[in-house]
Amino acid sequence: MKNLLFVVFVFLFSLNLLAEDLKLLQEKSFNVNKGEKLFLSAGGGGDVIIKSWDKNEVNVKVYGNKKAESKMDFTIEKKEMEVYVKGERKGSGFFSSFSNIRLKYTVMVPNEYMLELKTSGGDIKIDFVSGLKKLSTSGGDIELSSTKGSVSASTSGGDIVVDNTEGDISVSTSGGDIKLKTVNSKIEASTSGGDVLVELRGENKGIDLSTSGGDIKLLVEKSIKADLELRTAGGDISVNIPLTSTEKISSSKFIGKCNDGGNSIKATTSGGDIAVKEIN
């Protein structure tokens, strides 16, 4: 009975936190040039939302609840070629990690801008930004839409979704799914426990996909040039694209060439299926 009451108390307390509105804690704007950089480190956690506009200006807004207002310090400043944003907890100690802090960072940047973003517990979402991106979160999802430029992204427990982008991609998650839709890309994607779905149009610059426990599905154009190497320890392999040559060593390994071969396409799973199909 005591355990049940404790669970109910925690549930109601969590609902109260979620119902608490976030208010604007900080806002600053800076004149910048296209191609410069935003560095943002959200040490107290929180979601990070980045969007672009047609201004040579960076606008930073930090929202938070009452706990964030009293327990967090924020640095927002313009350096030589970088807008620097950092949120960090006041003081230190074991109990500071249980402060019920809620935060959200929203930033508008020029449509051509480099991003280096870190958050200790929230989601990262980026729309319509061209430029190099280096992203990491300790427990949230990462989502990119309609972007250009190389992407390096990692999360300890969330999903990664990259939609309608162009540029090389390197992503990893410890426990989520990966979904990529891209053009003319070199792709590296790994997850410890989820599925991997990749749709590539245009040039194959090399693909390496892996999961410890999920399925892998790769959609490519009929004209793709590639050397295929597919391996699974416990699932099935299916290939439904035109092949120049094939060498199927066993039910768990497939080697072949598409259109006389090209850059390698590797896919490895410890317990799932692998499917390579033509884009409809």
Side-chain angles (χ1 to χ4, degrees):
M1 185 66 176
K2 288 183 178 179
N3 289 337
L4 177 60
L5 290 174
F6 176 76
V7 171
V8 171
F9 171 78
V10 171
F11 176 73
L12 293 174
F13 183 66
S14 299
L15 287 180
N16 182 61
L17 285 175
L18 291 173
E20 185 180 357
D21 291 335
L22 303 184
K23 75 173 188 177
L24 182 62
L25 304 180
Q26 296 268 344
E27 180 178 7
K28 288 188 178 182
S29 294
F30 306 94
N31 293 324
V32 299
N33 296 310
K34 289 184 177 181
E36 294 182 350
K37 179 181 177 182
L38 168 69
F39 174 87
L40 189 154
S41 176
D47 297 337
V48 179
I49 301 171
I50 312 293
K51 295 184 178 182
S52 71
W53 56 8
D54 293 329
K55 300 179 183 180
N56 286 337
E57 180 182 330
V58 170
N59 175 262
V60 181
K61 294 180 180 178
V62 182
Y63 298 88
N65 62 357
K66 292 180 180 179
K67 285 288 186 180
E69 187 174 16
S70 62
K71 298 292 185 181
M72 294 290 297
D73 281 326
F74 301 99
T75 302
I76 306 174
E77 60 186 12
K78 177 72 167 68
K79 298 186 177 181
E80 289 185 1
M81 297 180 65
E82 176 183 273
V83 173
Y84 179 91
V85 181
K86 185 174 183 179
E88 55 188 344
R89 301 176 192 269
K90 296 177 181 178
S92 60
F94 175 79
F95 291 102
S96 65
S97 61
F98 299 95
S99 301
N100 302 316
I101 292 172
R102 293 181 60 225
L103 286 165
K104 181 174 70 173
Y105 299 78
T106 66
V107 187
M108 300 296 297
V109 301
N111 48 32
E112 296 177 19
Y113 217 68
M114 293 191 294
L115 305 174
E116 183 174 351
L117 313 176
K118 304 176 183 179
T119 176
S120 58
D123 299 334
I124 296 175
K125 184 175 181 181
I126 301 170
D127 293 324
F128 300 99
V129 180
S130 298
L132 177 70
K133 303 165 194 69
K134 186 176 181 181
L135 319 169
S136 65
T137 172
S138 297
D141 299 332
I142 296 176
E143 182 178 345
L144 293 89
S145 178
S146 299
T147 66
K148 289 184 179 181
S150 298
V151 175
S152 174
S154 64
T155 172
S156 298
D159 298 332
I160 297 177
V161 178
V162 180
D163 183 39
N164 188 28
T165 193
E166 182 172 356
D168 295 345
I169 299 174
S170 177
V171 296
S172 64
T173 172
S174 298
D177 297 331
I178 296 174
K179 296 180 181 180
L180 310 177
K181 187 176 182 181
T182 184
V183 178
N184 300 327
S185 300
K186 179 179 181 180
I187 301 170
E188 296 179 358
S190 65
T191 173
S192 297
D195 297 330
V196 179
L197 171 61
V198 175
E199 179 178 325
L200 172 68
R201 294 182 183 272
E203 183 183 357
N204 164 37
K205 297 182 178 180
I207 299 174
D208 192 346
L209 313 176
S210 64
T211 174
S212 296
D215 298 331
I216 296 175
K217 185 176 182 180
L218 174 63
L219 302 176
V220 296
E221 293 179 324
K222 183 178 181 179
S223 59
I224 191 169
K225 296 179 179 293
D227 289 354
L228 291 173
E229 184 176 339
L230 315 175
R231 301 171 186 266
T232 177
D236 298 322
I237 297 175
S238 62
V239 179
N240 294 312
I241 57 175
L243 296 170
T244 305
S245 63
T246 61
E247 180 185 357
K248 191 170 183 178
I249 297 176
S250 67
S251 60
S252 62
K253 183 177 181 180
F254 181 93
I255 296 176
K257 292 182 181 292
C258 307
N259 297 300
D260 295 322
N263 288 321
S264 66
I265 293 179
K266 295 182 179 180
T268 306
T269 174
S270 299
D273 299 332
I274 299 175
V276 180
K277 298 183 177 181
E278 183 181 336
I279 295 174
N280 293 328

